[in-house]
Amino acid sequence: FQSITPRKLTERDWQILQTCATLVTFNRGETILDSSNYNMFLYRIKDGEVEITKDYDNEKHVLKTITQGDTFGEMSMFSVEGR
C-alpha cells in the first residue's frame, strides 16, 4: 500500500465530490449522529451550524460549534468503533 498524505480539500475537490453527493436537510435541534449509530457518511455544512455535544451526568455539553464549509462524520469512514 502506498501511504496517503492528508491535505485540506480544495474547492475544486468539493465540486467533484458534490457530483456524487446528496443534499440532506436537518431541522433545528435534530440529532444527526450519536455514539450508538454507525454510518459511513461525510457531512459538509452548506448553511447554518451544528453543535457537537456529549452527554455527561444526564446533561448535554456543547464541545464545539461548526459552521458553513466545515465537515464532520469522517471518522466513521475509517473506524468501526463507536464515537
Side-chain angles (χ1 to χ4, degrees):
F1 287 97
Q2 189 175 28
S3 69
I4 300 171
T5 304
R7 66 176 174 82
K8 185 174 175 91
L9 295 177
T10 66
E11 195 55 40
R12 178 70 181 134
D13 295 332
W14 283 111
Q15 289 172 356
I16 293 167
L17 283 172
Q18 283 178 205
T19 64
C20 61
T22 301
L23 179 64
V24 180
T25 302
F26 296 96
N27 296 314
R28 180 181 301 272
E30 185 176 354
T31 299
I32 300 170
L33 301 171
D34 69 40
S35 60
S36 65
N37 288 352
Y38 172 77
N39 67 42
M40 289 188 60
F41 297 114
L42 169 65
Y43 297 90
R44 183 175 191 214
I45 302 171
K46 181 177 178 184
D47 268 325
E49 60 183 34
V50 172
E51 289 183 343
I52 309 298
T53 62
K54 187 77 171 177
D55 289 335
Y56 296 109
D57 298 327
N58 294 321
E59 289 185 34
K60 187 180 289 188
H61 297 272
V62 177
L63 304 176
K64 184 177 186 179
T65 300
I66 55 178
T67 59
Q68 182 179 354
D70 290 333
T71 59
F72 65 99
E74 68 280 356
M75 293 305 293
S76 66
M77 299 175 76
F78 303 104
S79 173
V80 294
E81 297 176 14
R83 292 178 179 81

